[in-house]
């Protein structure tokens, strides 16, 4: 079950980074970055 | 030529990665275990996995310090750090490891019962990651302030509803990581259930006579400065509370509820022959009414909002400008353990446990915890 949840978090992280990269408004890019940080820490199983 | 929004995206990504790196370093540093300095009374240092190999190599495995006397007698298991955000239990167990001597019987001490819970702390609580005590030689000893529950990195995801395995009781999903809702544990369960199972195996394997689980509670919680006892442990606990009263240490005595399952005083008393009790001291740093939560609050126990709540009659313990210092709470746990050991000898001479070297309530309240800690060994020594 843990592996499935890590895979979901990784997919969400990838979509968030894709959204950050294609977004034209820098404020929304910042919002995406703030979402990506905890996702990255969870995918790496740090927090 | 690179598009303008891609340039800003790259810059934002770089900042995010830097923030993630700083956060990762901080979270990783929290995982380093504290150094405890076993005293001359410690005869063996074992691991919980010695009793339940299923914990070997997991973040749930933890040290079990054995203090065995020269003469046979009774045995007591002390669990500190079941909830690593309740520091008095952890520090009291650490002081037993560093200072206690056993002449008769055997004392088993697990300072970090939920070792995983020490590797993180609770989000949105603003709690410090640690707290320190100055020692007489000018050095300091630092202890980790952790979370009430197992690290979700070690046990994830939480279910919507936590169902206690042996009773079927339903609790909130995050209680699945609460060691004191997991007893008697399961051999093939979650990490938390396996830790509980390991402790149960230790009790059965060593024939532990008395098990003490050290906790703290918020000042506004009714079960505070209290001893909770399984019905079989009630005579022993009654003697202990009377002995503490004679020393001027007020402790209430509460029966273990039969319909509140998974707790150490209920399940260990039901599933094994041990006499199971739990102590609660008053911890202002975990209550809902507290203000700024920093190391000073953890150590000194002073809080202006609790002072106001006390004036309004909302607390179950006396609370004045002096607060409830950690030293007093540790002293309360240690005095209770010493009195419990004394009472074991009153119940049955064969089951006596003779302890010495345990700091007394008055001296630790006056001199502070640091006076009874050993200096940490130099790195590499």
């Amino acid at each position: 079950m843990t592996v499935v949840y890590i895979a979901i978090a990784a997919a969400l992280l990838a979509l968030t980074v894709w959204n950050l990269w294609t977004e034209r408004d820098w404020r929304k890019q910042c919002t995406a970055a703030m979402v990506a940080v905890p996702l990255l820490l969870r995918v790496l199983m740090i927090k | 030529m690179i598009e303008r929004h891609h340039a800003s995206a790259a810059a934002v990504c770089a900042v995010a990665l830097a923030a993630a790196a700083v956060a990762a370093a901080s979270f990783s540093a929290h995982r380093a275990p504290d150094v405890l300095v076993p005293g001359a009374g410690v005869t063996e240092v074992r691991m919980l996995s010695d009793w339940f190999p299923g914990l070997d190599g997991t973040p749930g495995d933890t040290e079990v310090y054995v203090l065995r006397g020269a003469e046979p007698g009774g045995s007591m298991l002390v669990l500190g750090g079941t909830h690593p955000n309740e520091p008095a239990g952890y520090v009291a167990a650490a002081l037993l490891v560093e200072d206690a001597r056993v002449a008769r019987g055997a004392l088993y001490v697990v300072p970090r019962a939920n070792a995983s819970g020490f590797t993180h702390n609770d989000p949105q609580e603003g709690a410090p990651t640690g707290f320190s005590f100055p020692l007489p030689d000018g050095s300091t000893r630092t202890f980790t302030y952790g979370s009430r529950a197992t690290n979700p990195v070690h046990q994830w995801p939480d279910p919507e509803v936590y169902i206690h395995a042996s009773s079927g009781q339903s609790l909130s999903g995050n209680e699945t990581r609460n060691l004191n809702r997991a007893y008697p544990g399961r051999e093939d369960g979650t990490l938390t259930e396996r830790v509980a199972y390991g402790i149960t195996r230790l009790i059965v394997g060593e024939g532990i006579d008395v098990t003490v689980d050290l906790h703290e509670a918020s000042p506004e919680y009714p079960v505070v400065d209290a001893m909770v006892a399984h019905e079989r442990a009630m005579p022993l606990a009654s003697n202990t509370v009377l002995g503490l009263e004679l020393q001027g240490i007020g402790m209430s005595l509460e029966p273990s509820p039969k319909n509140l399952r998974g707790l150490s005083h209920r399940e260990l008393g039901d599933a094994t022959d041990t006499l199971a009790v739990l102590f609660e001291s008053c911890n202002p740093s975990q209550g809902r009414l507290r203000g700024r939560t920093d190391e000073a609050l953890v150590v000194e126990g002073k809080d202006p909002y609790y002072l106001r709540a006390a004036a309004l009659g909302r607390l179950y313990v006396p609370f004045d400008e002096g607060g409830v210092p950690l030293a007093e709470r540790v002293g309360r746990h240690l005095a209770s353990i010493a009195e419990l050991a004394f009472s074991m000898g009153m119940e049955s001479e064969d089951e006596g446990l003779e302890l010495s070297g345990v700091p007394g309530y008055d001296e630790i309240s006056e001199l502070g915890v640091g006076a009874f800690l050993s200096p940490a060994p130099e790195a590499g020594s």
Side-chain angles (χ1 to χ4, degrees):
Chain A
M1 185 63 95
T2 304
V3 175
V4 173
Y5 270 67
I6 291 172
I8 293 169
L12 198 54
L13 175 63
L15 290 170
T16 307
V17 172
W18 176 251
N19 183 254
L20 191 160
W21 187 250
T22 54
E23 176 57 53
R24 289 178 175 273
D25 183 341
W26 66 271
R27 285 162 297 196
K28 289 180 180 171
Q29 287 177 343
C30 291
T31 306
M34 285 189 280
V35 173
V37 169
L39 283 170
L40 177 64
L41 293 174
R42 180 50 59 94
V43 168
L44 298 175
M45 294 301 266
I46 292 170
K47 177 64 177 177
Chain B
M1 186 177 158
I2 189 165
E3 287 192 50
R4 192 172 165 181
H5 74 278
H6 283 159
S8 63
V12 166
C13 276
V15 172
L17 278 174
V22 170
S26 172
F27 292 135
S28 299
H30 204 166
R31 294 184 190 181
D34 299 335
V35 174
L36 300 185
V37 186
V42 174
T43 51
E44 257 182 300
V45 183
R46 300 178 67 180
M47 297 300 288
L48 193 57
S49 56
D50 292 350
W51 288 273
F52 174 43
L55 286 172
D56 193 19
T58 72
D61 204 3
T62 188
E63 299 91 354
V64 179
Y65 297 87
V66 186
L67 293 81
R68 200 178 298 281
E71 292 179 44
S75 55
M76 181 192 286
L77 169 65
V78 175
L79 300 172
T82 294
H83 292 153
N85 65 334
E86 298 169 9
Y90 171 38
V91 175
L95 284 177
L96 286 176
V97 168
E98 302 201 7
D99 296 323
R101 309 276 191 281
V102 177
R104 189 154 73 101
L107 178 66
Y108 295 75
V109 185
V110 184
R112 290 178 281 248
N114 188 352
S116 169
F118 282 92
T119 63
H120 72 135
N121 58 11
D122 293 318
Q124 302 179 3
E125 292 290 336
T129 55
F131 51 95
S132 302
F133 301 106
L135 271 60
D137 69 352
S139 65
T140 56
R141 287 278 302 277
T142 301
F143 289 80
T144 299
Y145 190 94
S147 161
R148 178 179 172 82
T150 300
N151 193 332
V153 164
H154 301 144
Q155 183 181 318
W156 186 56
D158 289 347
E160 288 292 313
V161 176
Y162 165 52
I163 298 173
H164 177 245
S166 60
S167 68
Q169 171 188 259
S170 299
L171 290 169
S172 163
N174 61 358
E175 293 285 26
T176 194
R177 290 183 283 112
N178 182 348
L179 178 59
N180 204 27
R181 298 294 181 277
Y183 290 107
R186 277 197 301 169
E187 191 173 4
D188 57 352
T190 63
L191 179 66
T192 310
E193 287 175 315
R194 283 182 282 148
V195 172
Y197 184 76
I199 289 168
T200 306
R201 296 313 310 160
L202 187 165
I203 290 167
V204 172
E206 299 299 308
I208 301 287
D209 297 316
V210 176
T211 298
V212 187
D213 193 6
L214 304 180
H215 285 257
E216 294 205 274
S218 4
E220 68 271 30
Y221 184 64
V223 184
V224 63
D225 283 353
M227 189 177 298
V228 186
H230 187 269
E231 52 272 17
R232 286 190 299 104
M234 211 35 116
L236 178 70
S238 303
N239 277 341
T240 305
V241 167
L242 284 172
L244 288 168
E245 290 284 349
L246 290 173
Q247 295 179 47
I249 304 170
M251 287 278 269
S252 61
L253 180 58
E254 310 281 343
S256 169
K258 289 191 173 176
N259 57 356
L260 188 53
R261 304 301 302 269
L263 289 92
S264 58
H265 49 78
R266 168 53 44 206
E267 303 299 340
L268 294 175
D270 282 355
T272 74
D273 292 332
T274 200
L275 301 177
V277 295
L278 179 149
F279 300 161
E280 296 273 15
S281 58
C282 166
N283 177 14
S285 66
Q286 74 179 108
R288 294 296 94 191
L289 306 180
R290 71 184 191 272
R292 182 177 178 181
T293 310
D294 55 10
E295 188 176 341
L297 177 60
V298 173
V299 175
E300 295 166 17
K302 296 176 185 171
D303 184 282
Y305 301 98
Y306 274 115
L307 208 51
R308 192 182 297 179
L312 294 169
R314 300 292 181 188
L315 304 184
Y316 288 87
V317 285
F319 199 100
D320 59 22
E321 287 81 2
V324 190
L326 184 53
E328 190 272 338
R329 290 138 53 195
V330 171
R332 179 176 289 274
H333 280 310
L334 291 176
S336 303
I337 290 165
E339 192 61 38
L340 194 64
F342 178 74
S343 300
M344 284 168 70
M346 287 171 67
E347 294 270 308
S348 157
E349 214 160 274
D350 295 340
E351 292 180 3
L353 175 64
E354 280 185 32
L355 291 180
S356 63
V358 179
Y361 178 80
D362 289 334
E363 56 180 346
I364 201 167
S365 296
E366 187 186 332
L367 301 174
V369 171
F372 301 94
L373 289 168
S374 305
E378 303 263 332
S381 66

